[in-house]
Each structure stands twice: as C-alpha cells, then as structure tokens.
Amino acid sequence: MSDLNLDRRGLLGAGIIGAASFGLGTGASAKNPAPLAPHMTKADYAGAMKAFRGVVGAEWVFGDEEAVAPYAKVYVPDPMNRHVPIGAVCPESVEQVQELVRIANQYKQPLWPVSTGKNMGYGMTAPATPGQVVLDLKRMNRILEVDADLGTCLLEPGVTYQQLKDYLVENNIPLWIDVPTVGPIASPVGNTLDRGVGYTPYGEHFMFQCGMEVVLADGQVMRTGMGSIKGSTAWQAFKWGYGPYLDGLFTQSNFGVVTKMGLWLMPKPPVYKPFMIRHPNMEDTPKIIEAMRPLRVSNLVANCNLMMSASYQLAMFKRRNEIVPDGAPLDEVSLKKAAKANGLGMWNTYFALYGTEQTVGAIEPIIRASLTASGGEVLTAAEMGDNPWFHHHATLMEGGLNLDEIGLLRWRGAGGGLAWFAPVAAARGVEAERQTALAREIVEKWGFDYTAAYAIGWRDLHHILALLFDKSDAEQEKKADSCYRELVTRFGAQGWASYRTGVNSMDLVAQQYGAVNRDFNARIKHAVDPNGILAPGKSGII
Amino acid sequence: MPETDSTGLLRGLLASGAVAAMALAAPAIAGQKLGEPQSIRAPEVIYAKTCGYCHGRNVGPIILGRGLPAESVKYIVRHGQNGMPAFRPTEVKPEELEALAAWVEKSDARKGEHGQ
Ligand SMILES: Cc1cc2nc3c(=O)[nH]c(=O)nc-3n(C[C@H](O)[C@H](O)[C@H](O)COP(=O)(O)OP(=O)(O)OC[C@H]3O[C@@H](n4cnc5c(N)ncnc54)[C@H](O)[C@@H]3O)c2cc1C
C-alpha cells in the first residue's frame, strides 16, 4: 500500500470516529449533524451545497435531516451509523453532472453516485464512508435508443427495468429485458455497474453491456468502445473498441460517473419452457451441481440457474414463526415438513429452455435424463401449476417483473435487516458442499438461519446467502455485523471471496483480494481522481 | 407466439424489425417516449408499477380501502417502514406523492388483494 493511500485511509478513519462520537441514529439532526468528510469545514460544505443549488435548483438539493431521510434507509447492518449520507444532489443532464463534479473538486466534497439507488442488501444509496453527498441520477431517465434489429439499447442511469419493459411492450418490440429479482424499482445501468445478475440467458449483465459514456472526475466526458468515433454506428454493437478495454474500470469502482450505457437485449424466443428440479435432501448439494455443470458449460442450459434452499424459498412468503417457534433453531425436520406442504424440496433448482419447438424438444430429454439420475424430480408448469414459487421463478427467467422476494425482509420479527453474502467458487459439487457446511456453522453460531441459494453460472457458483435479521433490535444488528465479518474472513481464508459486497464491508472484502491488487486500484484512483471526490471507499478504493 | 418450425425465430426477428420501425416513427401516445424523461404519472400507475408489487400480494400489508391518512402514506413512502425501502423525491416526485397519498386514503378495497 502506498503512503498516499495510507494518508487517505487515515483521514477517512477520522470520519469514522466522528460518526461514533456524534452517536448518530438512523440519520443526523440539526443538533447532531452527520460528520463531514474529515478534510472539510462547515463552510466548505455550505459552499458546495450552495453551488450545487445554483446548478440543479434548490428543490433538487437535500441537506437537512428530514430531506435526507430517504437516502439514509439501509437494510445492511450498520451498528456504528457510519453509512449516513450528509446530503443529496439530483442532476437532470450530463452537463449538470459535469458542473457538479467541478464544484465537488473545488470544495473537495465527495459525491456518491447512484443510478436508481435500490442496491438493497448492499447499502441502497448509503455511502461507504462518512461525509458523502449522494449524486442521485434517477432524474436522468431517458431511453435514448432501442434498435429492434440489433437487439440493443442506450439508456440513461435513471431508467428502471420497469420503464424499459413498458417501452418495449407499448411499442410492440419483441425484445426481452433481463432482470435482477427486484426489477421494477432497480435499473439496468445501476445493476450492471455493480456487476449484478439476472436469470435469462443474458443474465451476466456486464457481459451484455456495450459502450458507456462517463463523466470523469475532472469533468471531461469520455465515451468507451466505438463511442468516441464520430459517425460510428457500432457503439452498441462492438464492445471492445481499440486499445485497453476501459468499461470494466467503471464497474464496482469510483473512477467516473456513468451517464449513458449501451446494453444488448435478447430477442423473444418462439418457445420458452421453465423447469424446476426438486431434490429431497440438503445433502444433495454436490449431486445437483455435478449434474448441472455440463449442461451449463455446454450451454445446453443457457440461463443462470438458481438452486434455492427450502429455507430461502420459505422466507420469501412465510414468516419464521410459522415454521418454528420464536427462539427455536430452524431445524431440518420442521423445514422439510414446511417445504413439502408447499410443494418444495430441500433444494429447488430453476432453469429454462429457450428456442424453437425443435431445439427445445431435442434438448429436453437429455436434460431430463441427467437430472433424474441426480435424484431430482423434473417438474414443469404441467405439474407445478400456480405454485407461487414456481410462478415467481418462471416470471424471472423470462425477464418478468415482480418484487416477491422483498418478502424476505419480514422473516424475523419486525424485519428490515438483510445483508447479502456472495462468495464465488468454481462450479464443483465438492466446493458447494464445503461452503454450505461452513456458512451454516457460522450463521447458526450467531443465531441466524442458512437462508441461501447457489446461482450456477457458466462455470462458476455464486453462493448467495441472505443474512436476515430484525433491524429494530440493536443487539441483533450488532450480531449480524459480526457474523457478516466472520463470514467474509473465514471464507476468504479458504480461497472464497465475494463477487460483490455492501457498503458495510467493502474494505474487508478488498483485503481478501490482496495488497498488490488494492495498491493498483489505488494508483489508478489517485491518477484519475486526485481530490478523491468520487465515492471514496467504493470496493475499498480510496 | 410459439412457432412450429426452425425458421420461425428468423421470421419473428425480421417481423420485429418492421414492427419496431413503425413504432419508432409513431411512438405510443400513453407511455414514455424515446429520448424524453418519464412524465408525471397518475396514482393508479404508480400503484400498479411500484406499490402494488408488494402491497396486496402477501409481501406488504394491504393499503387500499383502509382510509390510511394521506400524511402517514407520505411519511412511510419517504422513510420506508421495517422491510419496505424508502422512495426518494427523484423516484416518486413530490407532486406525484401528494396525489398518490390522497388517492390511497380515498381508495376502495380491491377484491383479489391479499396481505399479511
Ligand atoms: C430481495 C432482493 C433480491 C435481489 N436480487 C438481486 C438479483 O437477483 N441480482 C442482483 O444483481 N441483485 C439483486 N438484489 C440487489 C440489488 O437490489 C440489485 O442489484 C439492484 O439492481 C441494485 O440497485 P440499482 O439497480 O438501483 O443500482 P444502484 O443502487 O443505482 O447502483 C449500484 C451501485 O453501483 C454504483 N453506481 C450506480 N450508478 C452509477 C453511476 N451512474 N456511475 C458510477 N457508479 C454508479 C454505485 O456504487 C451504486 O451503489 C436483490 C435485492 C433484494 C433486496
């Protein structure tokens, strides 16, 4: 780690102490303002906010406690109240973003950019370090282009999946969108920038991104790929451009503010057929993954599969105390009973076939044979009918919209607490088996449940553990925080680090990736953003 | 539109180009137009495309037909409650929220909604 990096990190540490000594609640108050970035004075902050108002108008700058409240709500554990923004500013154009960035440099006021700010379970709009003003891009929500022949679109950051879907449907354009589970209120741009996932064959979102426009920390506008060539028609058609591939630098990072993004959209296939594979035992984990891997690697099954545990599935639509009494452990017998009563197994794996009658008809028997041999029941709409879980996943796998999974947030008590833990492994049964055992040991030690799933990618596994807790209970919040940290470090020690994490743990996850990688990111950061005004702390980069 | 022969996909795609070209020439009147930001939405639309995904569908409690005071609706939208996320003025505009809250207060219960 370079000296400069250490200095910056030290400064941010001062901010943390500030937050603790103010004893903030979920937000700040006039008497107890949220701490400023450590190098800033009250006059700097006031000057920056005044100048922001001059750019976007007073009605789109928020500074007092009540006005900032919608930006302060988080699901993640934050027992120290570190992740509280001190304001928000909401531009409506690229030119306004440029102006705001220049002002931020002048006053050294850090800005935390969000597109739709629904990074739920990762921090919503809350920043990674104290003293940041949210740069809320939701007002920039124009759909700039949709090319029905090429299956591409160009979007501003504030366009939700719902807006894009509505546009395609209203204009009879037979292209699909690919949604994360919470599509209606989230955005293609925000999700892709955090390298999120969905469940059609276009589910690895960053893979299907093509071309960006970025406002750099010095206020310049840069276009990636073919976007900087005057007259090019290939900005949304050819990803790589010339020379080093730049787009990745702007994902999960703090090197620029993305103001436009191109995406590929999947043509609606003539035939779509969703499947569910029901396995009866927790111990079936390796068998399922060994059976799915060849189907995924060969792309016979082309979408990202969700292999959902019974507990995760039940937590979507049930409350914990419907299954076991409050305070009792979530034992396997009770779980199995509840799962069975709802048409579920202990593992429920969802995938779909996409194509023509002939291609689907040809692939289905191959898939049935290998999944039946793994001990699973192969089920379709014919058997599952209107089962709410099957319906939910069948909707997702065709890019449909719902918010069913928000039900997870009511699992325990008053609910409202969720932190996603998402370590990656290669798609091998034995790795999943070991991960499940380790995760269960840790969460159960802290009194939480193993509500988890595996997303089976092309060759990888994302183990998705929903750490669910009652956020109204301060003790539980503290335990959730400690539990999360133990998960990160003990998984890290086994070679399993997260693909993405919440603002509560960005630094800790960055540590798992090692000093050389951290230092390289820091050197880029210092070169492109010498005043550190863009999202300090994002992915542990300062 | 299930197709029965393997050229169906290609035909579907070609057709889509034609449909889209027409659509681009004459964008739908009701919805968002290409190149323009979303305009102010009616309460029914916001309910259908945001609130109603949870409320009345077992995820959140029923809110229609209960005479919920508009002031409470506004507060909860901006702060979130328990598992509900908060919605910012950039997501539900101040004037949209005024109309939405009044509409929720006066709304009738809907058959088919269920909530806990
Ligand atoms: C029940 C539930 C289920 C979920 N399921 C999924 C799922 O299936 N898949 C999945 O991926 N996620 C899932 N999530 C997590 C999350 O809600 C989604 O990923 C969501 O899409 C992220 O929020 P957003 O789209 O509003 O992005 P934002 O919150 O706008 O952006 C995410 C982050 O990207 C960066 N960023 C955003 N915009 C910019 C910009 N313009 N310039 C620079 N940096 C920027 C910021 O660091 C920001 O915090 C789930 C959450 C919940 C609660």
Side-chain angles (χ1 to χ4, degrees):
Chain A
M1 202 177 294
S2 69
D3 290 347
L4 180 55
N5 195 23
L6 271 176
D7 288 342
R8 290 186 174 210
R9 294 169 58 71
L11 283 173
L12 283 151
I16 301 164
I17 294 159
S21 61
F22 277 122
L24 299 173
T26 48
S29 68
K31 277 191 207 143
N32 261 353
L36 302 177
H39 54 272
M40 288 188 70
T41 64
K42 275 188 187 162
D44 292 333
Y45 171 64
M49 294 297 268
K50 186 171 173 217
F52 290 159
R53 281 192 283 271
V55 176
V56 300
E59 69 274 34
W60 292 114
V61 178
F62 305 105
D64 66 69
E65 181 194 10
E66 196 49 30
V68 176
Y71 292 88
K73 165 103 187 183
V74 290
Y75 291 160
V76 291
D78 182 19
M80 298 275 288
N81 294 306
R82 272 196 78 197
H83 305 289
V84 184
I86 57 168
V89 53
C90 318
E92 61 174 357
S93 67
V94 182
E95 295 73 22
Q96 288 188 355
V97 175
Q98 291 178 275
E99 274 305 297
L100 296 173
V101 162
R102 289 189 189 115
I103 294 165
N105 272 298
Q106 187 187 339
Y107 292 94
K108 300 204 171 36
Q109 171 58 58
L111 295 171
W112 180 264
V114 300
S115 291
T116 40
K118 284 286 173 284
N119 212 2
M120 299 182 287
Y122 291 112
M124 305 263 197
T125 53
T129 60
Q132 305 202 37
V133 169
V134 180
L135 180 62
D136 178 354
L137 303 171
K138 175 70 188 89
R139 291 177 71 212
M140 294 172 62
N141 64 49
R142 293 178 303 159
I143 298 165
L144 296 165
E145 280 169 31
V146 174
D147 189 314
D149 298 322
L150 290 171
T152 62
C153 65
L154 181 66
L155 305 175
E156 288 191 327
V159 176
T160 59
Y161 286 101
Q162 178 82 55
Q163 278 171 263
L164 181 57
K165 176 90 173 182
D166 286 350
Y167 180 82
L168 296 172
V169 169
E170 282 161 15
N171 292 286
N172 293 317
I173 301 172
L175 294 172
W176 273 5
I177 60 169
D178 183 285
V179 292
T181 318
V182 287
I185 52 181
S187 55
V189 176
N191 184 283
T192 304
L193 288 177
D194 231 16
R195 298 207 293 265
V197 294
Y199 307 99
T200 76
Y202 283 31
E204 183 65 89
H205 291 158
F206 183 46
M207 225 178 256
F208 296 92
Q209 174 271 339
C210 193
M212 282 181 190
E213 179 187 87
V214 189
V215 172
L216 302 174
D218 63 4
Q220 289 190 87
V221 175
M222 181 174 79
R223 290 186 172 186
T224 65
M226 305 309 286
S228 61
I229 302 290
K230 274 214 171 69
S232 171
T233 54
W235 192 20
Q236 270 61 68
F238 181 62
K239 280 168 72 87
W240 319 121
Y242 177 72
Y245 175 65
L246 298 176
D247 299 50
L249 286 176
F250 301 103
T251 65
Q252 289 193 1
S253 84
N254 48 16
F255 301 155
V257 180
V258 176
T259 47
K260 291 184 181 65
M261 183 185 281
L263 292 166
W264 292 349
L265 303 174
M266 176 175 157
K268 178 183 189 298
V271 173
Y272 162 64
K273 185 162 186 181
F275 290 81
M276 166 180 164
I277 315 299
R278 192 163 61 197
H279 281 85
N281 300 310
M282 281 307 279
E283 295 72 36
D284 294 328
T285 314
K287 283 194 258 176
I288 303 167
I289 287 164
E290 290 302 306
M292 286 308 310
R293 186 186 52 243
L295 303 176
R296 287 293 286 121
V297 173
S298 64
N299 221 21
L300 281 180
V301 169
N303 70 321
C304 171
N305 312 155
L306 274 179
M307 177 182 155
M308 310 280 289
S309 67
S311 46
Y312 187 134
Q313 296 256 272
L314 290 166
M316 289 163 56
F317 297 125
K318 307 277 172 199
R319 286 167 187 262
R320 193 178 190 278
N321 60 16
E322 291 174 51
I323 295 160
V324 288
D326 283 329
L330 190 64
D331 65 285
E332 221 161 298
V333 174
S334 310
L335 256 181
K336 246 186 198 166
K337 201 171 129 206
K340 197 157 186 216
N342 289 288
L344 299 166
M346 289 303 273
W347 288 108
N348 309 278
T349 307
Y350 299 89
F351 67 88
L353 294 179
Y354 307 81
T356 62
E357 292 282 347
Q358 284 95 333
T359 61
V360 168
I363 295 169
E364 186 172 338
I366 305 171
I367 284 166
R368 279 186 178 272
S370 68
L371 293 170
T372 307
S374 78
E377 294 168 83
V378 180
L379 306 161
T380 64
E383 297 83 19
M384 295 310 289
D386 57 4
N387 176 289
W389 287 274
F390 183 80
H391 179 263
H392 168 72
H393 290 280
T395 304
L396 281 184
M397 292 188 297
E398 61 173 336
L401 295 162
N402 68 50
L403 289 172
D404 290 351
E405 271 199 29
I406 300 257
L408 289 175
L409 271 301
R410 314 174 314 166
W411 177 239
R412 266 172 191 270
L418 160 66
W420 295 111
F421 174 58
V424 173
R428 289 204 180 85
V430 59
E431 296 224 32
E433 194 172 37
R434 285 173 53 217
Q435 283 206 355
T436 293
L438 182 60
R440 278 177 82 169
E441 182 212 315
I442 298 170
V443 294
E444 285 169 10
K445 180 181 111 185
W446 289 99
F448 299 111
D449 302 317
Y450 178 71
T451 34
Y454 284 96
I456 309 176
W458 223 334
R459 286 167 174 79
D460 64 288
L461 294 176
H462 287 24
H463 190 179
I464 315 277
L465 193 151
L467 183 63
L468 299 171
F469 61 99
D470 181 349
K471 202 163 160 75
S472 69
D473 178 337
E475 273 312 302
Q476 249 188 61
E477 181 167 15
K478 266 193 214 156
K479 278 191 190 164
D481 186 54
S482 305
C483 175
Y484 195 94
R485 286 168 196 287
E486 184 171 337
L487 284 164
V488 172
T489 46
R490 288 189 55 197
F491 270 68
Q494 299 291 319
W496 296 315
S498 301
Y499 91 97
R500 173 185 184 188
T501 200
V503 289
N504 54 314
S505 49
M506 288 186 167
D507 199 74
L508 190 63
V509 170
Q511 285 171 30
Q512 314 303 310
Y513 283 87
V516 176
N517 294 53
R518 293 201 77 177
D519 187 52
F520 187 74
N521 284 336
R523 281 192 277 158
I524 297 175
K525 177 69 175 168
H526 303 164
V528 299
D529 181 13
N531 290 323
I533 53 133
L534 295 181
K538 175 75 186 179
S539 299
I541 306 167
I542 283 179
Chain B
M1 46 149 206
E3 294 281 352
T4 48
D5 66 299
S6 58
T7 56
L9 179 61
L10 187 60
R11 282 213 314 273
L13 295 180
L14 291 172
S16 81
V19 170
M22 276 158 51
L24 292 178
I29 304 149
Q32 183 173 358
K33 294 189 182 117
L34 207 64
E36 291 185 16
Q38 188 174 51
S39 47
I40 296 294
R41 297 157 300 167
E44 294 86 338
V45 175
I46 299 175
Y47 185 81
K49 300 202 165 159
T50 304
C51 332
Y53 278 112
C54 293
H55 296 284
R57 288 207 207 169
N58 267 344
V59 175
I62 288 177
I63 55 172
L64 298 185
R66 293 175 53 192
L68 290 177
E71 284 308 311
S72 313
V73 174
K74 284 196 271 183
Y75 182 87
I76 292 171
V77 167
R78 290 286 183 248
H79 294 77
Q81 181 157 300
N82 301 335
M84 178 180 156
F87 291 89
R88 314 182 305 277
T90 51
E91 295 174 280
V92 182
K93 299 264 161 61
E95 59 268 47
E96 289 180 330
L97 183 56
E98 282 298 325
L100 176 71
W103 179 85
V104 169
E105 180 174 338
K106 292 200 205 93
S107 60
D108 295 324
R110 283 190 184 170
K111 273 202 194 110
E113 283 205 342
H114 38 87
Q116 302 170 19

